[in-house]
Coordinates of all heavy atoms in Angstrom, one line a residue:
L1 N -0.7 1.6 20.1 CA -0.3 1.5 18.7 C 1.1 0.9 18.6 O 1.3 0.0 17.6 CB -0.3 2.9 18.1 CG -1.6 3.6 17.9 CD1 -1.4 5.0 17.4 CD2 -2.4 2.8 16.9
D2 N 2.0 1.2 19.5 CA 3.3 0.7 19.4 C 3.4 -0.8 19.7 O 4.3 -1.5 19.2 CB 4.2 1.3 20.5 CG 4.5 2.8 20.1 OD1 4.3 3.2 19.0 OD2 4.9 3.5 21.1
S3 N 2.3 -1.3 20.4 CA 2.3 -2.8 20.7 C 1.8 -3.7 19.6 O 1.9 -4.9 19.6 CB 1.4 -3.0 21.9 OG 0.0 -2.9 21.6
L4 N 1.2 -3.1 18.6 CA 0.5 -3.9 17.4 C 1.6 -4.3 16.4 O 2.5 -3.5 16.1 CB -0.5 -3.0 16.8 CG -1.6 -2.4 17.8 CD1 -2.6 -1.5 17.1 CD2 -2.3 -3.6 18.5
P5 N 1.4 -5.4 15.8 CA 2.3 -5.9 14.8 C 2.1 -5.2 13.4 O 1.1 -4.5 13.2 CB 1.9 -7.4 14.7 CG 0.5 -7.5 15.1 CD 0.3 -6.4 16.2
E6 N 3.0 -5.5 12.5 CA 2.9 -5.0 11.2 C 1.7 -5.7 10.5 O 1.2 -6.6 10.9 CB 4.2 -5.2 10.4 CG 5.3 -4.4 10.9 CD 5.2 -2.9 10.8 OE1 4.7 -2.5 9.6 OE2 5.5 -2.2 11.6
N7 N 1.2 -5.1 9.4 CA 0.2 -5.7 8.6 C 0.6 -7.1 8.1 O 1.7 -7.2 7.5 CB -0.2 -4.8 7.4 CG -1.0 -3.6 7.8 OD1 -1.6 -3.5 8.9 ND2 -1.0 -2.6 6.9
A8 N -0.2 -8.0 8.3 CA -0.1 -9.3 7.8 C -0.2 -9.2 6.2 O -0.8 -8.4 5.7 CB -1.0 -10.3 8.3
K9 N 0.5 -10.1 5.6 CA 0.5 -10.1 4.1 C -0.4 -11.2 3.5 O -0.2 -12.4 3.9 CB 2.0 -10.2 3.5 CG 2.9 -9.1 3.9 CD 4.3 -9.2 3.3 CE 5.2 -8.1 3.6 NZ 4.7 -6.8 3.1
L10 N -1.2 -10.8 2.6 CA -2.0 -11.8 1.9 C -1.3 -12.3 0.6 O -0.5 -11.5 0.1 CB -3.3 -11.2 1.5 CG -4.3 -10.9 2.7 CD1 -5.6 -10.0 2.1 CD2 -4.8 -12.2 3.2
P11 N -1.6 -13.5 0.1 CA -0.8 -14.0 -1.0 C -1.4 -13.5 -2.3 O -1.4 -14.1 -3.4 CB -1.1 -15.5 -0.9 CG -2.4 -15.7 -0.2 CD -2.5 -14.5 0.8
W12 N -1.9 -12.3 -2.3 CA -2.5 -11.6 -3.5 C -2.4 -10.1 -3.3 O -2.2 -9.6 -2.2 CB -3.9 -12.1 -3.9 CG -4.8 -12.2 -2.7 CD1 -5.1 -13.2 -2.0 CD2 -5.7 -11.1 -2.2 NE1 -6.0 -13.0 -1.0 CE2 -6.4 -11.6 -1.2 CE3 -5.9 -9.8 -2.6 CZ2 -7.4 -10.9 -0.4 CZ3 -6.8 -9.1 -1.9 CH2 -7.6 -9.6 -0.8
E13 N -2.6 -9.4 -4.4 CA -2.5 -7.9 -4.3 C -3.9 -7.3 -4.4 O -4.8 -7.7 -5.2 CB -1.7 -7.4 -5.6 CG -1.4 -5.8 -5.5 CD -0.5 -5.4 -6.6 OE1 -0.8 -5.6 -7.8 OE2 0.6 -5.0 -6.3
F14 N -4.2 -6.3 -3.7 CA -5.5 -5.5 -3.7 C -5.6 -4.8 -5.0 O -4.7 -4.2 -5.5 CB -5.5 -4.5 -2.6 CG -5.5 -5.1 -1.2 CD1 -4.5 -5.1 -0.4 CD2 -6.8 -5.6 -0.7 CE1 -4.5 -5.6 0.8 CE2 -6.8 -6.2 0.5 CZ -5.7 -6.2 1.3
R15 N -6.8 -5.0 -5.7 CA -7.0 -4.5 -7.0 C -8.0 -3.3 -7.1 O -8.3 -2.9 -8.2 CB -7.4 -5.6 -7.9 CG -6.4 -6.7 -8.1 CD -6.8 -7.6 -9.2 NE -5.8 -8.7 -9.4 CZ -6.1 -9.6 -10.3 NH1 -7.1 -9.7 -11.0 NH2 -5.1 -10.6 -10.5
S16 N -8.5 -2.9 -6.0 CA -9.5 -1.8 -6.0 C -8.9 -0.5 -6.6 O -7.7 -0.3 -6.6 CB -10.1 -1.6 -4.7 OG -9.2 -1.1 -3.8
I17 N -9.8 0.4 -6.9 CA -9.4 1.8 -7.4 C -8.6 2.4 -6.3 O -7.6 3.0 -6.5 CB -10.6 2.6 -7.8 CG1 -11.2 2.0 -9.0 CG2 -10.2 4.0 -8.1 CD1 -12.5 2.7 -9.4
S18 N -9.1 2.4 -5.1 CA -8.4 3.0 -3.9 C -7.0 2.4 -3.7 O -6.1 3.1 -3.4 CB -9.2 3.0 -2.7 OG -9.4 1.6 -2.3
A19 N -6.9 1.1 -3.9 CA -5.6 0.4 -3.7 C -4.7 0.9 -4.8 O -3.4 1.1 -4.5 CB -5.8 -1.0 -3.7
R20 N -5.1 1.0 -6.0 CA -4.3 1.4 -7.1 C -3.8 2.9 -6.9 O -2.7 3.3 -7.1 CB -5.0 1.3 -8.4 CG -5.3 -0.2 -8.8 CD -5.5 -0.3 -10.2 NE -6.7 0.3 -10.6 CZ -7.9 -0.3 -10.7 NH1 -8.1 -1.4 -10.3 NH2 -9.0 0.5 -11.1
K21 N -4.7 3.7 -6.3 CA -4.4 5.1 -6.0 C -3.3 5.2 -4.9 O -2.4 6.0 -5.0 CB -5.6 5.9 -5.6 CG -6.5 6.2 -6.7 CD -7.8 7.0 -6.2 CE -8.7 7.4 -7.3 NZ -9.9 8.2 -6.8
I22 N -3.4 4.3 -3.9 CA -2.5 4.3 -2.8 C -1.1 3.9 -3.4 O -0.1 4.6 -3.1 CB -2.9 3.3 -1.7 CG1 -4.1 3.9 -1.0 CG2 -1.8 3.0 -0.8 CD1 -4.7 2.9 0.0
R23 N -1.1 2.9 -4.2 CA 0.3 2.5 -4.7 C 0.9 3.5 -5.7 O 2.1 3.7 -5.7 CB 0.1 1.1 -5.5 CG -0.1 0.0 -4.6 CD 0.1 -1.3 -5.3 NE -1.0 -1.6 -6.2 CZ -2.1 -2.2 -6.0 NH1 -2.4 -2.7 -4.8 NH2 -3.1 -2.4 -7.0
A24 N 0.0 4.2 -6.4 CA 0.6 5.3 -7.3 C 1.1 6.4 -6.5 O 2.1 7.0 -6.9 CB -0.6 5.7 -8.2
E25 N 0.4 6.8 -5.4 CA 0.9 7.9 -4.6 C 2.2 7.5 -3.9 O 3.2 8.3 -3.8 CB -0.2 8.2 -3.5 CG 0.2 9.3 -2.6 CD 0.6 10.6 -3.2 OE1 0.1 10.9 -4.3 OE2 1.3 11.4 -2.5
E26 N 2.3 6.2 -3.4 CA 3.6 5.8 -2.8 C 4.7 5.8 -3.9 O 5.8 6.2 -3.5 CB 3.4 4.4 -2.2 CG 2.5 4.3 -1.0 CD 2.4 2.9 -0.4 OE1 2.6 2.0 -1.2 OE2 2.2 2.8 0.8
S27 N 4.4 5.4 -5.1 CA 5.5 5.4 -6.1 C 5.8 6.9 -6.4 O 7.1 7.2 -6.6 CB 4.9 4.8 -7.4 OG 4.7 3.4 -7.2
R28 N 4.9 7.8 -6.4 CA 5.2 9.1 -6.6 C 6.1 9.7 -5.6 O 7.1 10.5 -5.8 CB 3.9 10.0 -6.8 CG 4.1 11.5 -7.3 CD 2.9 12.3 -7.0 NE 2.7 12.4 -5.5 CZ 3.3 13.2 -4.7 NH1 4.3 14.0 -5.1 NH2 3.1 13.3 -3.4
Q29 N 5.8 9.4 -4.3 CA 6.6 9.9 -3.2 C 8.0 9.4 -3.2 O 9.0 10.1 -2.9 CB 5.9 9.5 -1.9 CG 4.6 10.3 -1.6 CD 3.9 9.9 -0.4 OE1 4.3 9.0 0.3 NE2 2.8 10.6 0.0
K30 N 8.1 8.1 -3.5 CA 9.5 7.5 -3.6 C 10.3 8.2 -4.8 O 11.5 8.4 -4.6 CB 9.4 6.0 -3.9 CG 8.9 5.2 -2.6 CD 8.8 3.8 -3.0 CE 8.3 2.9 -1.8 NZ 8.2 1.5 -2.1
E31 N 9.6 8.4 -5.9 CA 10.4 9.1 -7.0 C 10.7 10.5 -6.6 O 11.8 10.9 -6.9 CB 9.4 9.1 -8.2 CG 10.1 9.6 -9.5 CD 11.2 8.7 -9.9 OE1 11.2 7.5 -9.6 OE2 12.2 9.2 -10.6
A32 N 9.8 11.2 -5.9 CA 10.1 12.5 -5.4 C 11.3 12.6 -4.5 O 12.1 13.5 -4.5 CB 8.9 13.1 -4.7
E33 N 11.4 11.5 -3.6 CA 12.6 11.5 -2.7 C 13.9 11.2 -3.4 O 15.0 11.8 -3.0 CB 12.3 10.3 -1.7 CG 11.1 10.6 -0.6 CD 10.8 9.4 0.2 OE1 11.5 8.3 0.0 OE2 9.9 9.5 1.0

């Protein structure tokens, strides 16, 4: 796991429901911090 690179970035944003939930949860966690 330590040998693997970071996620490559695509030139667009994921728009699925699960992707939006992930971003919302990350925003919530940042706000909580």
Side-chain angles (χ1 to χ4, degrees):
L1 289 173
D2 292 343
S3 71
L4 304 177
E6 294 294 318
N7 284 342
K9 294 184 181 298
L10 289 170
W12 46 268
E13 186 175 64
F14 294 103
R15 296 186 178 182
S16 64
I17 294 174
S18 61
R20 296 198 294 269
K21 287 181 178 179
I22 289 172
R23 288 195 292 271
E25 178 60 22
E26 288 183 335
S27 296
R28 188 196 66 77
Q29 291 178 354
K30 289 180 180 178
E31 187 63 28
E33 290 174 359

